[in-house]
Amino acid sequence: MYEFLQETVASNMTRSVRSVAPEMTVGDLYRLFADDDYDAYPVLRDDVVVGFVTKLDALKVFACPTDHMLPRYDDRMGTTVDEIMSSDVISVEPDTNLQRVLQLMIAHRLKSLPVIDRYRHLVGIIAREDVMRALARCTKRQAPSLVPCETARCLRLV
């Protein structure tokens, strides 16, 4: 487990990341979600991270208060990403410890975080699966070997 505490984002992140533009429509975003099976995309303007958009954000355009009429599907599909994205982006840098990533994911209920450099340029993404793989890899190396079932039966107290 101590080895996990030394793990950083840089050695566990995904470097090739698909991003979206703020001007993209929800209709195009839906098609991307279907094609990629991702849960979220960083939003870039001039190579700088300006937001993060999730599947839930894309679904929110169809939610309406009970005192309103049902929104028109075609109108809502034309909504742009910059209207629905979160511009308060929680991100990490490549040298961030995975333990810190885990804390952020739990505290903010996030599935992934964009990895940015000091200029806010996107350099990768770190997802729950990346953290889980690192944790499994680190604990596997340190786990004691299991006692075979036959031996455990012999050790049972009578």
Side-chain angles (χ1 to χ4, degrees):
M1 183 66 182
Y2 295 111
E3 187 177 330
F4 178 75
L5 298 175
Q6 304 302 313
E7 289 286 321
T8 64
V9 169
S11 57
N12 292 280
M13 69 182 185
T14 301
R15 293 183 187 281
S16 61
V17 180
R18 180 174 271 186
S19 61
V20 298
E23 301 81 23
M24 178 181 275
T25 66
V26 167
D28 291 334
L29 184 62
Y30 269 55
R31 284 187 279 286
L32 273 182
F33 279 133
D35 290 344
D36 293 338
D37 197 33
Y38 293 160
D39 290 316
Y41 293 102
V43 182
L44 301 184
R45 179 179 288 126
D46 299 324
D47 293 326
V48 174
V49 176
V50 295
F52 206 64
V53 65
T54 67
K55 283 182 178 175
L56 184 59
D57 296 327
L59 286 170
K60 286 179 186 178
V61 300
F62 294 102
C64 60
T66 55
D67 60 342
H68 286 82
M69 291 179 53
L70 189 63
R72 292 194 47 188
Y73 181 81
D74 290 339
D75 292 342
R76 298 302 173 133
M77 291 301 268
T79 303
T80 58
V81 167
D82 64 341
E83 296 177 72
I84 63 169
M85 72 181 188
S86 172
S87 54
D88 186 22
V89 179
I90 297 171
S91 60
V92 292
E93 294 182 353
D95 61 347
T96 305
N97 286 356
L98 286 190
Q99 181 61 40
R100 176 66 179 143
V101 170
L102 188 54
Q103 291 168 337
L104 288 169
M105 287 178 168
I106 291 168
H108 300 281
R109 302 183 60 86
L110 300 170
K111 292 183 177 184
S112 59
L113 297 168
V115 182
I116 60 171
D117 64 15
R118 61 183 173 157
Y119 304 108
R120 298 200 50 85
H121 292 142
L122 184 67
V123 295
I125 197 156
I126 187 85
R128 288 178 184 172
E129 292 80 11
D130 300 321
V131 176
M132 292 174 76
R133 271 192 299 273
L135 188 56
R137 185 180 66 248
C138 291
T139 55
K140 185 184 287 186
R141 290 183 199 146
Q142 298 172 356
S145 57
L146 297 175
V147 176
C149 292
E150 303 80 40
T151 307
R153 280 191 209 103
C154 294
L155 297 176
R156 200 176 316 152
L157 296 175
V158 180

